[in-house]
Amino acid sequence: MSIEVSDSREQTVGGFTVRRALPRRGRRTVGAWCFADHMGPADVTEGSGLDVGPHPHMGLQTVTWLLDGQALHKDSLGSEQVISPGQLNLMTAGNAVAHAEEATGQYRGTLEGIQLWIAQPEATRNGAAAFEHHAELPQVELDGGMATVLVGEHEGLASPARHDTPLVGMDLDLRQRTHLPLRADFEYALIVMRGSVAVSGEKLVPGTLGHLGTGLDELDVEVAEASRVILLGGEPFGEPLMMWWNFVARSRAEIDAAYASWRDQDDRFGTVRSSLPLIPADPPFWQ
Ligand code: MN
């Protein structure tokens, strides 16, 4: 087994420092997973919290999973949902959706989580937007810890979350060396959120992505200390993607149209009931 380790890039999103593990140069997707931001840990106080104003998406699903704290999701479908650790928010953009991610107003303490994007395939990417909240997800006992199936299925245990292509996303809560069966037709990657693990002798810590590729039927994780690890996997995504800002598309023309709709605030993306200011888009670099 060979693993390719790359460093995440630090960015600021909504007042929080995030470590962006995907996309990477030369590594844009893992299955249909096309974006991964590990946010926090950071303090939520009366004056500071998650503050991501209304912004648009198309052609992707957003998956939100918290290790600590609470956040409030609002979208142009009218959804308003507080999310806590152990729960999953999944928003499908299809042709157009807008959302905001806010502090709840009541919660004080640490906020830490991950936001992932899944590229939608041709069959659904121009379809309707949707939002799901799952208060409970299936858990599997492992030899060295516990896994929660966020999306997809593992060993016959399926998450109730919608997915449009064959993929899996799991949270691994590990205390000691762990073996996990994999699907040889999937490609996989690991993102460590807490602690320290090693695969094939390569150390993985927060702020790195370990890419495992395809053709593996088992994962052997050495666990140096109590660790939380996100495992992403999926059938290699065959469609060529064009990603710009919050849009996943297939051509510049599609992105130009989405950009113009958001700039002009026409009817396409709808309205989010948020007191935060709209996040403006910069023009695409080719304009
Ligand atoms: Mn978003």
Side-chain angles (χ1 to χ4, degrees), residues 52 55-57 62 91 99 101 115 117 246:
V52 185
H55 60 279
H57 285 293
T62 64
M91 183 180 73
H99 73 146
E101 288 151 301
Q115 187 170 87
W117 294 357
N246 292 312

PDB file of all heavy atoms in Angstrom, residues 52 55-57 62 91 99 101 115 117 246, ligand 1:
ATOM      1  N   VAL A  52     -20.904  32.915   8.397  1.00  0.00           N
ATOM      2  CA  VAL A  52     -20.806  32.776   6.948  1.00  0.00           C
ATOM      3  C   VAL A  52     -22.138  33.231   6.368  1.00  0.00           C
ATOM      4  O   VAL A  52     -23.150  32.534   6.489  1.00  0.00           O
ATOM      5  CB  VAL A  52     -20.500  31.323   6.527  1.00  0.00           C
ATOM      6  CG1 VAL A  52     -20.296  31.239   5.023  1.00  0.00           C
ATOM      7  CG2 VAL A  52     -19.267  30.798   7.261  1.00  0.00           C
ATOM      8  N   HIS A  55     -24.634  32.737   0.635  1.00  0.00           N
ATOM      9  CA  HIS A  55     -23.830  32.558  -0.576  1.00  0.00           C
ATOM     10  C   HIS A  55     -24.421  31.407  -1.375  1.00  0.00           C
ATOM     11  O   HIS A  55     -25.116  30.550  -0.805  1.00  0.00           O
ATOM     12  CB  HIS A  55     -22.352  32.312  -0.223  1.00  0.00           C
ATOM     13  CG  HIS A  55     -22.152  31.099   0.622  1.00  0.00           C
ATOM     14  ND1 HIS A  55     -22.353  31.114   1.993  1.00  0.00           N
ATOM     15  CD2 HIS A  55     -21.821  29.822   0.313  1.00  0.00           C
ATOM     16  CE1 HIS A  55     -22.139  29.906   2.470  1.00  0.00           C
ATOM     17  NE2 HIS A  55     -21.823  29.089   1.471  1.00  0.00           N
ATOM     18  N   PRO A  56     -24.175  31.373  -2.670  1.00  0.00           N
ATOM     19  CA  PRO A  56     -24.828  30.390  -3.542  1.00  0.00           C
ATOM     20  C   PRO A  56     -23.986  29.136  -3.744  1.00  0.00           C
ATOM     21  O   PRO A  56     -22.772  29.136  -3.514  1.00  0.00           O
ATOM     22  CB  PRO A  56     -24.912  31.155  -4.864  1.00  0.00           C
ATOM     23  CG  PRO A  56     -23.639  31.961  -4.880  1.00  0.00           C
ATOM     24  CD  PRO A  56     -23.379  32.357  -3.444  1.00  0.00           C
ATOM     25  N   HIS A  57     -24.635  28.064  -4.160  1.00  0.00           N
ATOM     26  CA  HIS A  57     -23.947  26.846  -4.617  1.00  0.00           C
ATOM     27  C   HIS A  57     -24.676  26.287  -5.822  1.00  0.00           C
ATOM     28  O   HIS A  57     -25.889  26.487  -5.966  1.00  0.00           O
ATOM     29  CB  HIS A  57     -23.940  25.769  -3.525  1.00  0.00           C
ATOM     30  CG  HIS A  57     -22.982  26.035  -2.412  1.00  0.00           C
ATOM     31  ND1 HIS A  57     -21.608  26.018  -2.586  1.00  0.00           N
ATOM     32  CD2 HIS A  57     -23.187  26.325  -1.105  1.00  0.00           C
ATOM     33  CE1 HIS A  57     -21.024  26.280  -1.435  1.00  0.00           C
ATOM     34  NE2 HIS A  57     -21.944  26.482  -0.514  1.00  0.00           N
ATOM     35  N   THR A  62     -23.325  19.823   0.093  1.00  0.00           N
ATOM     36  CA  THR A  62     -22.490  20.157   1.245  1.00  0.00           C
ATOM     37  C   THR A  62     -22.831  19.208   2.390  1.00  0.00           C
ATOM     38  O   THR A  62     -24.008  18.941   2.649  1.00  0.00           O
ATOM     39  CB  THR A  62     -22.696  21.611   1.722  1.00  0.00           C
ATOM     40  OG1 THR A  62     -24.040  21.776   2.185  1.00  0.00           O
ATOM     41  CG2 THR A  62     -22.419  22.612   0.614  1.00  0.00           C
ATOM     42  N   MET A  91     -26.890  19.276   2.319  1.00  0.00           N
ATOM     43  CA  MET A  91     -27.647  20.146   1.421  1.00  0.00           C
ATOM     44  C   MET A  91     -27.261  19.823  -0.018  1.00  0.00           C
ATOM     45  O   MET A  91     -26.084  19.798  -0.364  1.00  0.00           O
ATOM     46  CB  MET A  91     -27.343  21.612   1.726  1.00  0.00           C
ATOM     47  CG  MET A  91     -28.162  22.578   0.874  1.00  0.00           C
ATOM     48  SD  MET A  91     -27.775  24.306   1.244  1.00  0.00           S
ATOM     49  CE  MET A  91     -26.152  24.436   0.485  1.00  0.00           C
ATOM     50  N   HIS A  99     -27.236  29.462   0.977  1.00  0.00           N
ATOM     51  CA  HIS A  99     -27.348  29.189   2.415  1.00  0.00           C
ATOM     52  C   HIS A  99     -26.421  30.069   3.210  1.00  0.00           C
ATOM     53  O   HIS A  99     -25.538  30.730   2.668  1.00  0.00           O
ATOM     54  CB  HIS A  99     -27.117  27.697   2.734  1.00  0.00           C
ATOM     55  CG  HIS A  99     -25.705  27.228   2.626  1.00  0.00           C
ATOM     56  ND1 HIS A  99     -25.165  26.265   3.451  1.00  0.00           N
ATOM     57  CD2 HIS A  99     -24.697  27.578   1.794  1.00  0.00           C
ATOM     58  CE1 HIS A  99     -23.914  26.041   3.129  1.00  0.00           C
ATOM     59  NE2 HIS A  99     -23.595  26.811   2.133  1.00  0.00           N
ATOM     60  N   GLU A 101     -24.330  30.005   7.215  1.00  0.00           N
ATOM     61  CA  GLU A 101     -23.956  29.217   8.384  1.00  0.00           C
ATOM     62  C   GLU A 101     -23.597  30.176   9.500  1.00  0.00           C
ATOM     63  O   GLU A 101     -22.685  30.981   9.369  1.00  0.00           O
ATOM     64  CB  GLU A 101     -22.791  28.294   8.042  1.00  0.00           C
ATOM     65  CG  GLU A 101     -23.243  27.162   7.145  1.00  0.00           C
ATOM     66  CD  GLU A 101     -22.147  26.665   6.243  1.00  0.00           C
ATOM     67  OE1 GLU A 101     -21.597  27.448   5.442  1.00  0.00           O
ATOM     68  OE2 GLU A 101     -21.830  25.486   6.350  1.00  0.00           O
ATOM     69  N   GLN A 115     -16.430  20.578   6.851  1.00  0.00           N
ATOM     70  CA  GLN A 115     -17.411  20.691   5.782  1.00  0.00           C
ATOM     71  C   GLN A 115     -16.819  20.096   4.516  1.00  0.00           C
ATOM     72  O   GLN A 115     -15.695  20.404   4.124  1.00  0.00           O
ATOM     73  CB  GLN A 115     -17.862  22.114   5.515  1.00  0.00           C
ATOM     74  CG  GLN A 115     -19.020  22.052   4.495  1.00  0.00           C
ATOM     75  CD  GLN A 115     -19.750  23.353   4.295  1.00  0.00           C
ATOM     76  OE1 GLN A 115     -19.350  24.165   3.487  1.00  0.00           O
ATOM     77  NE2 GLN A 115     -20.810  23.540   5.060  1.00  0.00           N
ATOM     78  N   TRP A 117     -17.661  18.787   0.384  1.00  0.00           N
ATOM     79  CA  TRP A 117     -18.535  18.901  -0.774  1.00  0.00           C
ATOM     80  C   TRP A 117     -18.432  17.613  -1.583  1.00  0.00           C
ATOM     81  O   TRP A 117     -17.341  17.022  -1.686  1.00  0.00           O
ATOM     82  CB  TRP A 117     -18.126  20.038  -1.699  1.00  0.00           C
ATOM     83  CG  TRP A 117     -18.249  21.414  -1.147  1.00  0.00           C
ATOM     84  CD1 TRP A 117     -18.746  21.792   0.073  1.00  0.00           C
ATOM     85  CD2 TRP A 117     -17.832  22.622  -1.808  1.00  0.00           C
ATOM     86  NE1 TRP A 117     -18.670  23.157   0.195  1.00  0.00           N
ATOM     87  CE2 TRP A 117     -18.109  23.693  -0.935  1.00  0.00           C
ATOM     88  CE3 TRP A 117     -17.249  22.898  -3.055  1.00  0.00           C
ATOM     89  CZ2 TRP A 117     -17.839  25.011  -1.278  1.00  0.00           C
ATOM     90  CZ3 TRP A 117     -16.968  24.215  -3.390  1.00  0.00           C
ATOM     91  CH2 TRP A 117     -17.263  25.263  -2.503  1.00  0.00           C
ATOM     92  N   ASN A 246     -17.936  28.907  -5.290  1.00  0.00           N
ATOM     93  CA  ASN A 246     -18.855  27.954  -4.664  1.00  0.00           C
ATOM     94  C   ASN A 246     -19.613  27.110  -5.677  1.00  0.00           C
ATOM     95  O   ASN A 246     -20.631  26.513  -5.340  1.00  0.00           O
ATOM     96  CB  ASN A 246     -19.861  28.719  -3.796  1.00  0.00           C
ATOM     97  CG  ASN A 246     -19.184  29.354  -2.599  1.00  0.00           C
ATOM     98  OD1 ASN A 246     -18.422  28.699  -1.898  1.00  0.00           O
ATOM     99  ND2 ASN A 246     -19.432  30.623  -2.387  1.00  0.00           N
TER     100      ASN A 246
HETATM  101 MN    MN B   1     -21.588  27.010   1.560  1.00  0.00          MN
END
